[in-house]
Structures are given as structure tokens and as C-alpha cells.
Amino acid sequence: MNAAVVDTVPSPVRLKAVAAPGQPEPTPALEQLYRGFESELLVPLWTEIGGLMPPHPRSQAAPHLWQWSRLKALAHQAGEIVPVGRGGERRAIALANPALGGRPFATPTLWAAIQYLMPGEDAPEHRHTQHAFRFVVEGEGVWTVVNGDAVRMSRGDFLPQAGWNWHAHHNAASEPMAWIDGLDIPFAYYTESQFFEHGRDAISDAERGTPDRSRSERLWGHPGLRPLAQPDAPQATPLLAYRWADTDRALADQLALEDEGHAGATLSPGHAAVRYANPATGRDVLPTIRAEMHRVRRGACSRTTRETGSSVWQVFEGAGSVRVGEREWRVQRGDLFVVPSWQPLQLRCDADAASLDLFRFGDAPIFEALHQHRVQVDPA
Ligand code: GTQ
Ligand code: FE2
């Protein structure tokens, strides 16, 4: 090895000889051993064990709340000042977890952003290996065009879009529109697995149509019915839009069944929930992202739950309070908050709100695939 190179590279390793339980007292011999480790870029497990192998996850990420009113005001300002086009690709503004070093990451694995398009604007076509979805908390007028299939985006709709599909967005309406994007960008970043390509500079006139239902919905959007001409078990969902009317009815039915005495219809008393599923497999919509909608009845609260991996929640409707770890916030429509790995979460609906509806996405499919997923629900 070239000694000059070794000399110019500062060792990032700094070991302290400390007396920990079961470890030797600091002596000149121990100091010399540790300086030897440092100069060879070696780290002994016994000084690191607490941080590397804690008894349960201790997340780097912090619980945090972003208020929708502030996000939307800033996104609107960006709409007036910052153009959208090739290069920057999207007018998307990411939530940066305050404990993740200023990176635009909501959690160690998940990206969450508010995206904004002015009337008549287009976001250009591209594709990437990162898996993505859109969720619309309010407004309408934008169509997302996935592999040439124009998909309407309206309030309450969930629009998954698996990696490596071409996509562009266009606002066909006379009002600006905001929505949220969720992607596994941080996961792809840390695992160094990203690919990206630009698409056509403009989509065709036919693709600029504004159909009520996309081709994907006409093929795959019939409950319990699989089109025989289509592939058997696509890994990510072939259905590009999950409409609010269906989600709303599913949640309302759970609570109505509970009212009729069928306690097993809900997760816990007053807490209804559904997961968006791939209609071909029944599994999660995306390989890395799980998405759900929750409804907590007036005055009710959820059971306190901890789970491996992180999630981001967005209040869809109603008002209430949310407790994450040591933090507690009042929340209303559009507010977004982060639940880091293994931090306890409890949701509570105000006594004077009809219900508290929340959209949630998380990285659980990653941990399930690796047999590392755990959930702990406090007893009632
Ligand atoms: O809409 O295609 O928030 O590619 C981040 C990356 C949105 C998108 C984001 C993206 C998009
Ligand atoms: Fe994209």
C-alpha cells in the first residue's frame, strides 16, 4: 500500500478506551490496541454493541408534524415563481425529517412531498425505478398519464404507480392543484439501486384526454373479477386508481356493521381501516410501500400500536389529536406526520367531529419480505 495515501486519508475511526461493564480498564496497552484498530480502519463490536444491536428499534428519525395550510401556501408561492419542466422534472417539495441531517427524506425509507401544478401546466414524462403513488387530499383537474393511460386525480383518490413505468402529469383545469407524492426514494438512495430516464418531451394529444375512467380501471377495477387476457400476478398493482367513493363505502360499512353488533368488522371499537390491495394478488399495491385509509369514529380512539419500519400519515378529513412517541399534536385536514420505527402511535377523534379520516403509507412490505416485520398492539 502507498504510505503517502494512507497518511493523507484521515481515519474516520476514533476509539475511546473506556471501562464498560465486562470490559478491560483503560491501560496503555489497551490504548495502543485501539490506536492499532484506528490506523487499520477496524472497529471492535464490544464498543458498538449498544447502538448496533439495541433490544428494539431506536429510530434516528423524529416524530414531526407539517401543517397543510403552510405547505399549501409555500407550494402556491413556488407555483408563481418556479417553472416546471425538463431538468427539475416536478414542482415537488419534500418533507425533510428534522433528525435526518437535512436530507429531503420524511423517514429513513420514505419520501413524501407536496406537488403543485398551475392551470394548463405539464410535468414532463420520465421513469425511474423508485416506486411511487399520489394521494389527493383536495381538488381535482390533474390527470397523471402512466404508460399513455390518462388517470383522473380527484379528492380522496389513491393512485399507485410502480417503478419503471413512464409517467407525466398535466393540469387540464383552470385552478391550481396540489397533491402528495409518496416514493421509496430514501430506500433506493441508501441501497444505491436507482435508475432514471427521460421520456418524450410532450405527450400526444390523445394522451391529453380527460377520461373519467382510465384503461387500467376499465380492465382491473371490477371487485373480485380478473381479466383473463392480463398477466397472472403482477408484482405491483395493475390498477392505477382507487377511488374515494369505494374507500369511503368500505369504511362506512365497517362502522355500520360494528353498530349492528359485529365487533370483528373493525380493528378496535370505533376504528375502521382498509388496505389498498393489488387486485391480482391481494397483496400490497407496491413492492416497498403499503397504503391504507383509517377512520376513527366521533369521540373514539385507536389502540396504541408500534410497528417495525416507518410511516407517514395525512389527515384526510375531520379533527382530532395524534400521539407519536413523546409528541402529541392537534390535527386537521391535510396535516402530515411521521411515525418512526417502533414509536407508539395513538389516534383520537374529537367529540364534535363526524370522524377522523387518515391516509397512511409505510414501508412494511420491505420488512415483511425480509421476515423482519413486527407489530405490537396494546390491549384495549
Ligand atoms: O411525480 O414523478 O415527489 O419523480 C418525486 C419524484 C414526484 C413524480 C416526486 C418524482 C415525482
Ligand atoms: Fe416520477
Side-chain angles (χ1 to χ4, degrees):
M1 207 197 281
N2 181 334
V5 171
V6 171
D7 284 344
T8 56
V9 178
S11 169
V13 177
R14 281 275 160 250
L15 293 172
K16 264 216 235 110
V18 286
Q23 289 183 25
E25 289 297 317
T27 59
L30 188 70
E31 283 292 345
Q32 197 193 354
L33 175 65
Y34 281 12
R35 298 295 82 79
F37 288 160
E38 274 177 27
S39 64
E40 295 299 319
L41 299 177
L42 299 170
V43 179
L45 175 63
W46 61 83
T47 64
E48 301 293 321
I49 184 89
L52 293 179
M53 304 181 88
H56 54 76
R58 294 196 219 282
S59 184
Q60 293 272 316
H64 195 78
L65 176 82
W66 287 263
Q67 287 177 337
W68 182 242
S69 58
R70 304 218 181 153
L71 291 178
K72 224 176 55 168
L74 288 163
H76 186 76
Q77 280 180 37
E80 311 233 285
I81 301 172
V82 183
V84 60
R86 197 52 94 202
E89 299 295 299
R90 300 291 185 259
R91 190 186 289 111
I93 306 156
L95 310 185
N97 191 291
L100 294 178
R103 291 208 171 98
F105 299 166
T107 82
T109 53
L110 298 170
W111 167 279
I114 179 172
Q115 187 168 161
Y116 205 80
L117 274 184
M118 300 298 272
E121 272 187 337
D122 272 37
E125 190 180 56
H126 67 205
R127 66 175 175 179
H128 38 73
T129 45
Q130 290 90 343
H131 301 294
F133 71 81
R134 337 263 157 227
F135 179 74
V136 184
V137 74
E138 59 191 20
E140 59 187 0
V142 169
W143 270 254
T144 180
V145 183
V146 181
N147 293 328
D149 190 9
V151 191
R152 176 173 57 85
M153 294 172 57
S154 306
R155 171 163 156 82
D157 296 344
F158 169 72
L159 306 112
Q161 182 227 292
W164 214 236
N165 289 295
W166 295 109
H167 55 285
H169 319 307
H170 67 99
N171 187 344
S174 54
E175 296 292 321
M177 182 174 162
W179 67 90
I180 65 159
D181 302 310
L183 290 93
D184 56 5
I185 288 174
F187 177 71
Y189 175 86
Y190 289 118
T191 54
E192 301 177 334
S193 52
Q194 316 99 320
F195 293 89
F196 179 96
E197 286 181 357
H198 291 312
R200 297 161 300 169
D201 277 337
I203 53 171
S204 71
D205 285 345
E207 290 162 332
R208 292 186 152 278
T210 55
D212 191 51
R213 289 193 308 151
S214 58
R215 294 200 295 271
S216 86
E217 291 167 88
R218 291 159 68 193
L219 274 174
W220 286 98
H222 307 286
L225 299 173
R226 286 178 53 170
L228 291 196
Q230 292 291 305
D232 247 11
Q235 275 214 13
T237 184
L239 182 60
L240 299 179
Y242 293 68
R243 299 296 177 191
W244 173 243
D246 300 317
T247 312
D248 183 35
R249 198 174 324 112
L251 294 170
D253 273 344
Q254 287 185 14
L255 291 174
L257 283 164
E258 183 181 87
D259 283 337
E260 292 161 26
H262 302 280
T266 51
L267 267 184
S268 62
H271 181 188
V274 288
R275 180 167 300 160
Y276 297 100
N278 178 334
T281 63
R283 305 181 66 89
D284 285 295
V285 278
L286 296 168
T288 51
I289 298 178
R290 167 165 295 170
E292 298 170 347
M293 183 67 77
H294 291 244
R295 175 168 292 167
V296 182
R297 196 199 274 285
R298 176 198 309 266
C301 60
S302 72
R303 289 197 182 149
T304 301
T305 304
R306 297 171 191 259
E307 185 170 343
T308 322
S310 51
S311 2
V312 180
W313 293 69
Q314 184 176 35
V315 175
F316 180 67
E317 189 60 83
S321 53
V322 171
R323 194 167 52 75
V324 183
E326 318 262 87
R327 307 294 304 273
E328 183 156 359
W329 309 288
R330 305 245 347 117
V331 293
Q332 57 187 351
R333 185 198 273 196
D335 292 351
L336 288 136
F337 60 91
V338 160
V339 182
S341 189
W342 211 246
Q343 298 246 1
L345 164 73
Q346 190 174 34
L347 314 165
R348 186 181 299 273
C349 179
D350 282 354
D352 57 358
S355 66
L356 180 63
D357 288 358
L358 304 109
F359 171 76
R360 174 214 190 175
F361 68 103
D363 55 9
I366 299 175
F367 300 101
E368 284 187 351
L370 303 176
H371 301 184
Q372 302 284 23
H373 191 245
R374 292 198 196 191
V375 182
Q376 190 184 82
V377 182
D378 280 4

